[in-house]
Amino acid sequence: MAIVRLRSADLKQALETGALSLHYQPQVEIKTGKLAGVEAFVRWPHAVHGMLGPSDILPIVEQAGLHIEFDRWVIGAICRQAKKWNTERVPVPIVAANVWRETLRRPDALRLIDALAETGVDPRTIELECPRGSTVDPELTKTLVAIQALGVRLASEEYVTRARPRWFLSFNTLKIPYPVSRDHVANGDAIRAVVAEAERFEARVVADSVESAEQEEALASLGVEIVQGYLYGPEVTPAELRTLITRQGASPA
């Protein structure tokens, strides 16, 4: 397998020129099969290396210190896409994306969500998947509380480690990450604890990386209601997602 060597200058140019794109992985309600939301994943159609994914792109973001530029582009892109889906009456209730710790720790961190005002998107349709440490880091917590006050949803996978937020921070979605979702038998108690915590403040629980009907059934028996993963397919383009929803007659959960 060839090693892909990328230059940070190329990624910076791609961000500035809008050369990147986002694909979306469905989050599906187990009982009904309805679309509960999507999570965004970056793609880069590179002239030399072909289509590149997060495993190629994110290390360059880290090495080059492009966290804020990258996050602003991603959040802007999901806001525009969510607004477009709403205008076209495509039923995608929540659009989620990860954000870097480095972005949230900046003094101007709230500029991350300038796209809310620029696009006029309903902030309740946007969800930020928070970096690890958000439950205990005072600086991250302060920023996230301010973002949530504007109506933006927050998600965390830290509850599976029994971490709990301080001060006034709460989460709208609790994630069951890989490999916890894969090793659900060994992690049954931890998953049940996350479900119980979610019920306490009416958050949703989403299990990640679900690849088989048997795994989905086992997670459902532990109280999980929403899954995402290759069981329902890989990440797709906005056009492909619209076709998928139309073909399946999906509606928002």
Side-chain angles (χ1 to χ4, degrees):
M1 182 177 179
I3 298 176
V4 176
R5 300 187 184 280
L6 301 171
R7 298 190 310 164
S8 59
D10 291 340
L11 178 57
K12 186 173 183 180
Q13 182 180 30
L15 287 166
E16 292 172 348
T17 60
L20 303 183
S21 63
L22 292 177
H23 287 196
Y24 298 87
Q25 185 170 57
Q27 298 174 337
V28 180
E29 189 178 280
I30 296 174
K31 289 184 179 179
T32 66
K34 291 180 178 180
L35 186 71
V38 295
E39 181 178 352
F41 293 86
V42 66
R43 294 289 187 272
W44 182 5
H46 196 279
V48 175
H49 301 294
M51 185 64 76
L52 303 178
S55 62
D56 299 308
I57 299 167
L58 299 185
I60 305 301
V61 174
E62 181 74 61
Q63 294 165 18
L66 293 171
H67 309 93
I68 184 67
E69 294 90 345
F70 181 79
D71 279 346
R72 286 179 181 169
W73 179 84
V74 169
I75 301 307
I78 68 169
C79 286
R80 289 188 294 273
Q81 186 60 61
K83 180 68 173 181
K84 186 172 188 291
W85 276 328
N86 179 261
T87 301
E88 296 175 351
R89 299 187 180 277
V90 180
V92 182
I94 296 170
V95 185
N98 289 274
V99 290
W100 290 89
R101 170 197 303 270
E102 288 80 359
T103 298
L104 296 174
R105 291 177 67 89
R106 288 174 58 101
D108 61 350
L110 287 182
R111 287 203 58 198
L112 174 66
I113 53 174
D114 284 352
L116 289 177
E118 293 169 0
T119 61
V121 69
D122 184 345
R124 295 170 298 179
T125 65
I126 302 300
E127 184 167 271
L128 303 187
E129 297 202 7
C130 303
R132 293 179 182 179
S134 302
T135 57
V136 295
D137 187 317
E139 289 187 45
L140 292 182
T141 296
K142 182 179 179 181
T143 299
L144 291 171
V145 167
I147 289 174
Q148 194 172 51
L150 298 174
V152 176
R153 299 173 55 89
L154 301 179
S156 172
E157 63 177 35
E158 291 191 278
Y159 278 68
V160 78
T161 65
R162 300 190 184 278
R164 297 295 181 268
R166 299 180 180 181
W167 300 284
F168 302 104
L169 181 62
S170 62
F171 293 97
N172 307 96
T173 296
L174 306 185
K175 298 292 291 282
I176 307 293
Y178 178 88
V180 175
S181 62
R182 179 197 63 190
D183 302 328
H184 48 79
V185 175
N187 293 298
D189 288 344
I191 294 172
R192 289 190 191 93
V194 172
V195 170
E197 191 71 12
E199 291 175 347
R200 192 169 68 84
F201 52 85
E202 299 183 343
R204 54 181 207 147
V205 177
V206 179
D208 205 355
S209 302
V210 177
E211 299 181 349
S212 70
E214 293 77 15
Q215 183 186 4
E216 180 185 59
E217 183 178 353
L219 290 166
S221 71
L222 295 170
V224 175
E225 296 182 341
I226 300 169
V227 297
Q228 69 179 87
Y230 278 17
L231 174 62
Y232 289 98
E235 303 88 7
V236 296
T237 67
E240 290 170 333
L241 182 68
R242 179 171 186 166
T243 299
L244 182 65
I245 292 172
T246 302
R247 182 181 303 151
Q248 296 182 347
S251 58

